Amino acid sequence: MKKLLVIVRKEFAQIFRQPAILRMMTAMPIVQLILIPLAADYEVRNINLQVIDFDYSTHSQEMIQKTGGFSVF
């Protein structure tokens, strides 16, 4: 625990010694919060779905039909 406290003190001393580090620590997360949602697209497109159905029950057949009736092996 003492080692961790020494490291934390050293890092805080380094942060306050160089003001650029403090600016980077605040600016970079803000930039990431703004840019990543604009760049990330979570829409799933153009997938090939194949279902392997070893159950052959009516419930599993209904589930396959609800997904779009893709290939059944």
Side-chain angles (χ1 to χ4, degrees), residues 56-70:
Y56 297 111
S57 68
T58 56
H59 183 66
S60 67
Q61 294 297 318
E62 289 173 5
M63 287 177 57
I64 292 169
Q65 293 303 317
K66 286 182 181 180
T67 60
F70 297 101

Side-chain angles (χ1 to χ4, degrees), residues 10-28:
K10 179 188 79 75
E11 291 300 322
F12 274 109
Q14 189 72 17
I15 288 169
F16 293 122
R17 187 177 313 140
Q18 295 179 354
I21 293 176
L22 188 58
R23 286 192 297 266
M24 279 193 305
M25 287 177 57
T26 56
M28 289 307 294

Side-chain angles (χ1 to χ4, degrees), residues 18-73:
Q18 295 179 354
I21 293 176
L22 188 58
R23 286 192 297 266
M24 279 193 305
M25 287 177 57
T26 56
M28 289 307 294
I30 293 170
V31 169
Q32 289 176 354
L33 284 172
I34 293 170
L35 291 181
I36 289 177
L38 297 174
D41 183 17
Y42 299 110
E43 183 179 348
V44 178
R45 291 177 271 177
N46 300 328
I47 63 167
N48 295 324
L49 177 66
Q50 295 182 346
V51 178
I52 299 173
D53 183 17
F54 293 122
D55 188 20
Y56 297 111
S57 68
T58 56
H59 183 66
S60 67
Q61 294 297 318
E62 289 173 5
M63 287 177 57
I64 292 169
Q65 293 303 317
K66 286 182 181 180
T67 60
F70 297 101
S71 302
V72 178
F73 294 103

